[in-house]
Amino acid sequence: MALEAEKIDCEIREIKLSDKPNTFTRLSPKATVPVLITPQGKVIEESLDIMMWVLNQSDSNQWLPLEGSQQQVWTKSIINKNDTQFKPLLDQYKYPQRYPLHSQNENFNEALEKFLLPLELLLQDQKYLIGDQLTLADVAIFPFIRQFAMVDLQRFNQNALEKLNQWLENILSTELYNQIMIKRSYWTE
Ligand SMILES: N[C@@H](CCC(=O)N[C@@H](CS)C(=O)NCC(=O)O)C(=O)O
């Protein structure tokens, strides 16, 4: 989304996660998507780093919070909490067969309490996570919330997450999101 928002030209190679091409795993042994190879050949393996690589060159929508601002502190804190607390719970909730020691109910409730309800509270009087405009924090974490919601939409909708649902809907209905979420065929060697 950052690349598209800032109109940075790139070749997109869709990776089949169950059959990763050798070129991909050779360039990035961590083997998670997305990975960006810059024109200088630098390999960037974290989505947040890819966003920062884009936004440090061009940020026409003002997604980046001002350096040293309170918004910057909040942005870092939300993304950090997503990556360290929510993402492991999402994986456990999404793939219960890989984590037989955790029940899906427990995972859902823990995610709800630690991460989703605090976000719901934040969205009581603002449209997006850092204010009334879409910024880095929203774009960095919504894919994880979307994945979580999609495991069991009914359960997600029933859990007093009205504002969070609306927030997700707002992002999913943007032209930007719909421009990038198109079906692509897998890249092969
Ligand atoms: N922190 C990483 C997470 C990347 C990640 O976990 N990606 C998943 C897909 S959403 C993946 O590639 N998993 C590897 C696999 O399923 O083999 C990032 O944001 O770049």
Side-chain angles (χ1 to χ4, degrees):
M1 273 178 80
L3 288 157
E4 176 68 28
E6 296 306 325
K7 297 278 170 255
I8 294 188
D9 199 19
C10 64
E11 178 191 342
I12 297 181
R13 295 180 171 184
E14 188 75 22
I15 300 294
K16 189 174 185 183
L17 290 175
S18 56
D19 185 16
K20 296 170 186 167
N22 291 337
T23 307
F24 169 66
T25 47
R26 209 177 317 115
L27 279 164
S28 176
K30 180 161 95 78
T32 60
V33 294
V35 168
L36 178 84
I37 318 290
T38 72
Q40 290 74 29
K42 188 174 165 204
V43 180
I44 309 184
E45 297 174 294
E46 283 289 318
S47 50
L48 183 61
D49 295 336
I50 295 173
M51 294 176 85
M52 294 305 290
W53 179 82
V54 171
L55 298 173
N56 283 330
Q57 299 172 57
S58 165
D59 182 21
S60 58
N61 301 301
Q62 293 171 308
W63 283 7
L64 279 183
L66 282 182
E67 201 53 47
S69 64
Q70 190 57 47
Q71 281 85 344
Q72 188 185 40
V73 176
W74 291 330
T75 300
K76 284 186 180 164
S77 150
I78 290 172
I79 296 175
N80 183 50
K81 210 170 159 194
N82 176 77
D83 291 357
T84 59
Q85 292 186 18
F86 184 64
K87 176 68 162 66
L89 288 170
L90 166 66
D91 290 342
Q92 287 167 25
Y93 180 57
K94 200 169 155 187
Y95 306 109
Q97 63 287 3
R98 291 191 204 163
Y99 302 91
L101 295 179
H102 301 257
S103 90
Q104 250 193 326
N105 261 339
E106 277 167 18
N107 291 330
F108 182 89
N109 289 334
E110 198 178 337
L112 189 66
E113 217 170 283
K114 288 194 176 147
F115 196 64
L116 302 175
L117 286 174
L119 293 182
E120 175 72 13
L121 208 61
L122 199 59
L123 293 167
Q124 290 304 305
D125 42 27
Q126 59 193 41
K127 201 167 164 206
Y128 292 102
L129 296 175
I130 303 296
D132 285 320
Q133 303 296 327
L134 183 84
T135 66
L136 176 68
D138 304 292
V139 186
I141 75 159
F142 88 85
F144 301 96
I145 312 255
R146 173 179 168 268
Q147 284 180 41
F148 190 89
M150 280 172 57
V151 175
D152 184 345
L153 265 180
Q154 214 181 349
R155 189 195 302 217
F156 191 81
N157 290 333
Q158 277 166 355
N159 272 278
L161 297 168
E162 194 192 327
K163 301 280 181 187
L164 193 64
N165 256 311
Q166 188 56 58
W167 166 84
L168 189 57
E169 276 303 310
N170 285 343
I171 300 176
L172 300 184
S173 60
T174 56
E175 205 184 323
L176 179 60
Y177 175 77
N178 288 288
Q179 265 166 354
I180 57 133
M181 281 303 266
I182 50 171
K183 189 96 191 117
R184 298 182 171 90
S185 20
Y186 293 120
W187 183 79
T188 49
E189 303 286 347

